[in-house]
Amino acid sequence: MIRVLLTAFEPFGRDPLNSSLEAGRLVVAGPPAGVALEFAELPWAFGDSIAELRRAVAQVEPDLVIATGQGGNRPDITVERVAINLDDAVRAPDRKGHQPVDQPVVPDGPAAYFSTLPVKACVEAVQLAGIPATVSHTAGTHLCNHVFYGLAHLIATERPELRGGFAHLPYLPSQTSGQEKSASMSAETAAEGVRILIRSTVAALHAPPVGAVAAPRRRRWLSRRNG
């Protein structure tokens, strides 16, 4: 049975909810058939979030990691393609008040990594289920990208047999009620989208890994294999 680690972030700021956490809890309650699913809630903190991710990976020894986060300004599920080696939290600090600006996630790490998920196949599968989804080429420069890069670096340097990637989930409807922000998705719909991401990647696990190398290297080969 394929071992899958699903991660989400704790609520942050003044919002008592985080869409990735609410959707993740539903996936745990009704996981995809044929997988052994484990779940980890990551702290909204630079450094600590990657440390918790690494602890969960060491404990679970997964074949696949799907990391998720709240993409409040996004109208659909966005499967991230590239993680960059940059922490730039100029807009907001983390829960500990840390606010790195123009700092690397990993000192001396490569500039970027591609996801090792079949990102386009994942998006197409979610869309076929009638759930809005797109490929994204930027995970930002805050904690979502921080965790995505940390995961990709772990895969590239220590666990080449592991596959993993990141997806942003929209706000929940309750998070947009009475506010200017309007894009949202129910936790149930987002959870089903995450289940489809898991199933799509599990179906591709027999194929050789598609990346986990620095983006500037072997770019043409990666673009063909990555969809």
Side-chain angles (χ1 to χ4, degrees), residues 15-74:
D15 197 333
L17 298 174
N18 185 299
S19 59
S20 69
L21 182 59
E22 299 306 310
R25 287 169 172 166
L26 292 178
V27 177
V28 172
V35 303
L37 182 69
E38 297 290 342
F39 183 68
E41 179 179 336
L42 304 183
W44 186 250
F46 289 98
D48 291 354
S49 52
I50 291 179
E52 182 59 31
L53 171 67
R54 291 178 65 93
R55 280 193 290 270
V57 169
Q59 180 178 359
V60 175
E61 291 289 339
D63 303 294
L64 168 65
V65 178
I66 301 289
T68 63
Q70 180 172 281
N73 60 340
R74 306 188 185 208

Side-chain angles (χ1 to χ4, degrees), residues 143-224:
L143 274 155
C144 289
N145 176 77
H146 181 79
V147 162
F148 183 17
Y149 188 93
L151 171 61
H153 188 71
L154 175 65
I155 292 171
T157 60
E158 300 178 39
R159 293 178 176 266
E161 76 288 350
L162 178 63
R163 285 213 183 178
F166 194 96
H168 275 105
L169 309 181
Y171 279 128
L172 303 171
S174 62
Q175 293 177 285
T176 65
S177 178
Q179 302 182 41
E180 292 184 4
K181 52 190 180 184
S182 58
S184 65
M185 179 180 289
S186 72
E188 292 78 10
T189 299
E192 182 57 23
V194 172
R195 293 187 190 100
I196 294 170
L197 294 181
I198 294 171
R199 289 198 295 264
S200 298
T201 305
V202 168
L205 280 177
H206 66 277
V210 294
V213 298
R217 303 172 189 170
R218 302 167 69 190
R219 185 172 299 168
R220 300 167 104 187
W221 182 85
L222 278 168
S223 64
R224 291 198 299 270

Side-chain angles (χ1 to χ4, degrees), residues 78-167:
T78 53
V79 183
E80 301 298 338
R81 200 170 194 179
V82 182
I84 61 173
N85 193 14
L86 177 65
D87 287 334
D88 193 8
V90 65
R91 292 187 177 182
D94 67 12
R95 71 171 187 178
K96 291 186 172 182
H98 297 156
Q99 195 168 7
V101 175
D102 296 337
Q103 298 294 317
V105 180
V106 178
D108 300 321
Y113 289 108
F114 282 124
S115 172
T116 54
L117 303 181
V119 290
K120 287 191 174 180
C122 285
V123 166
E124 289 170 3
V126 175
Q127 291 173 339
L128 284 173
I131 300 173
T134 55
V135 175
S136 170
H137 295 95
T138 174
T141 58
H142 212 281
L143 274 155
C144 289
N145 176 77
H146 181 79
V147 162
F148 183 17
Y149 188 93
L151 171 61
H153 188 71
L154 175 65
I155 292 171
T157 60
E158 300 178 39
R159 293 178 176 266
E161 76 288 350
L162 178 63
R163 285 213 183 178
F166 194 96

